[in-house]
Amino acid sequence: MSKAIAIFNQAGGVGKSTLTQNLGYHLASLKHRVLLVDIDPQATLTTFMGIDPESLEKTPFDALINEEPLFILKDLQGMDLAPTNITLSVAEIQLVNLDFREVRLKETLDPLREDYDFILIDCPPSLGLLSYTSLVAATHVLVPIETQYKAFQGTNLLLQTIAKVRKRGNRHLQL
């Protein structure tokens, strides 16, 4: 069974996408099968991986909203990538009215878990539904934090969010 790690912080600019890409690269260099999932509509990870987000016809939007299989680009720097673009921001709004919105990403990833040792989910810089569904789908959460006072101020809210997910949405989520 693979480990699905959500790289999560509600703050922007703390290195979530950079960490996701580099952690994935190093895991792949150790011969692990790695899938990177870009759940951030800003598409920084997608861009870092050399993909033009505007050229994409399919994104995680199609999996979350239309319940299609996750679109995956194969073998980019030894990893696979589920790329995204700005259209994913619409999913956050549409998810509000959908049944079982919390488990849609988990259900999308479940059939892929045997194909990968690690699934790394690059979360958006918010405490919204895209982040919440990522935490529900994950087995672990990795929180990059800057060593500055302002960064530590937001940590309490972030930990409260993780605690809520662990209480109901994903009791087995490890920090």
Side-chain angles (χ1 to χ4, degrees):
M1 188 65 131
S2 66
K3 289 182 174 42
I5 303 171
I7 292 79
F8 171 64
N9 192 322
Q10 79 271 16
V14 297
K16 291 182 297 295
S17 301
T18 302
L19 179 60
T20 303
Q21 181 188 30
N22 285 295
L23 179 58
Y25 178 81
H26 286 287
L27 289 168
S29 72
L30 294 171
K31 307 297 183 214
H32 292 289
R33 299 167 299 155
V34 178
L35 171 63
L36 306 177
V37 181
D38 197 348
I39 294 294
D40 183 353
Q42 295 178 49
T44 304
L45 177 62
T46 297
T47 302
F48 284 177
M49 293 297 293
I51 305 301
D52 176 14
E54 300 310 313
S55 69
L56 297 170
E57 294 182 22
K58 296 281 186 183
T59 70
F61 173 91
D62 300 290
L64 292 171
I65 303 303
N66 301 327
E67 300 182 82
E68 296 177 12
L70 188 63
F71 172 71
I72 298 172
L73 297 172
K74 299 286 188 177
D75 199 21
L76 300 171
Q77 302 170 30
M79 302 170 282
D80 292 351
L81 171 69
T84 199
N85 60 28
I86 194 68
T87 60
L88 190 59
S89 63
V90 177
E92 186 114 41
I93 297 164
Q94 292 185 3
L95 279 169
V96 170
N97 296 316
L98 295 178
D99 292 335
F100 307 107
R101 62 182 168 259
E102 298 86 4
V103 296
R104 285 179 177 247
L105 182 59
K106 180 185 181 311
E107 290 177 347
T108 296
L109 296 177
D110 280 349
L112 303 172
R113 291 185 193 267
E114 289 185 17
D115 298 333
Y116 297 99
D117 301 312
F118 291 92
I119 299 172
L120 305 180
I121 307 167
D122 186 23
C123 297
S126 72
L127 299 175
L129 279 173
L130 291 174
S131 293
Y132 187 83
T133 59
S134 297
L135 293 172
V136 170
T139 58
H140 297 78
V141 59
L142 178 59
V143 182
I145 299 176
E146 292 181 319
T147 55
Q148 299 172 355
Y149 177 72
K150 186 178 177 192
F152 287 116
Q153 282 183 312
T155 304
N156 191 37
L157 185 56
L158 181 142
L159 293 174
Q160 287 175 9
T161 299
I162 292 171
K164 286 179 187 176
V165 171
R166 290 173 81 179
K167 186 175 182 179
R168 291 228 168 130
N170 183 351
R171 286 175 167 60
H172 303 290
L173 182 64
Q174 296 180 41
L175 181 61

